[in-house]
Amino acid sequence: MKNLSKVKLAVVSTALAAALITLSVGAGYAGNPTPAAAADAAAIYAEKCAKCHGPDGKGVDKYKKQGMEDMTAAKWQSANSDAKISSAIKNGKGDFMPAWKGKLTPAEITAMVKYIRSLKK
């Protein structure tokens, strides 16, 4: 009888753990950045974006001359919805910006959009 109780406890514990993992991972894939993804957004930006967009989001001269806009400007921030920014990150843009779909998780992309929003003046 004690062994049966231990088995039931193990099954219930495993099911509960699986449900919690599913909920936490699912939230990240549903477009809600996990705390780790949000914390990593600045690091991801510094590693993958700053060389073109500049460390502050204003763009580097080489690309500003080719039409890259200042992401910190209120005009740019209001003209670009979260969906548009997310799409540009996922699918790339023009001849220079690569697509990050498949290289960044959906949660990381959502965190990147929030990070870009934080750059505004």
Side-chain angles (χ1 to χ4, degrees):
M1 204 54 136
K2 284 187 176 186
N3 285 339
L4 184 57
S5 294
K6 287 181 182 180
V7 171
K8 284 182 181 179
L9 179 61
V11 169
V12 170
S13 298
T14 303
L16 181 58
L20 290 173
I21 291 169
T22 300
L23 285 173
S24 66
V25 170
Y29 283 96
N32 300 319
T34 61
D40 290 343
I44 292 169
Y45 181 89
E47 178 186 339
K48 300 184 184 307
C49 310
K51 65 184 172 190
C52 299
H53 290 284
D56 55 4
K58 293 182 180 185
V60 296
D61 289 338
K62 175 182 177 181
Y63 295 107
K64 286 196 287 189
K65 290 176 185 175
Q66 296 174 6
M68 180 186 292
E69 297 180 66
D70 178 352
M71 294 189 301
T72 69
K75 181 179 177 182
W76 186 91
Q77 289 274 338
S78 64
N80 291 279
S81 67
D82 288 358
K84 188 174 178 180
I85 297 168
S86 179
S87 178
I89 294 169
K90 288 178 198 171
N91 304 314
K93 189 171 179 190
D95 294 331
F96 300 102
M97 183 163 165
W100 293 101
K101 185 176 185 177
K103 298 173 187 168
L104 296 176
T105 67
E108 288 170 327
I109 292 170
T110 298
M112 290 300 301
V113 172
K114 290 183 182 213
Y115 179 77
I116 290 166
R117 290 291 185 205
S118 77
L119 298 174
K120 68 182 173 183
K121 293 178 185 174

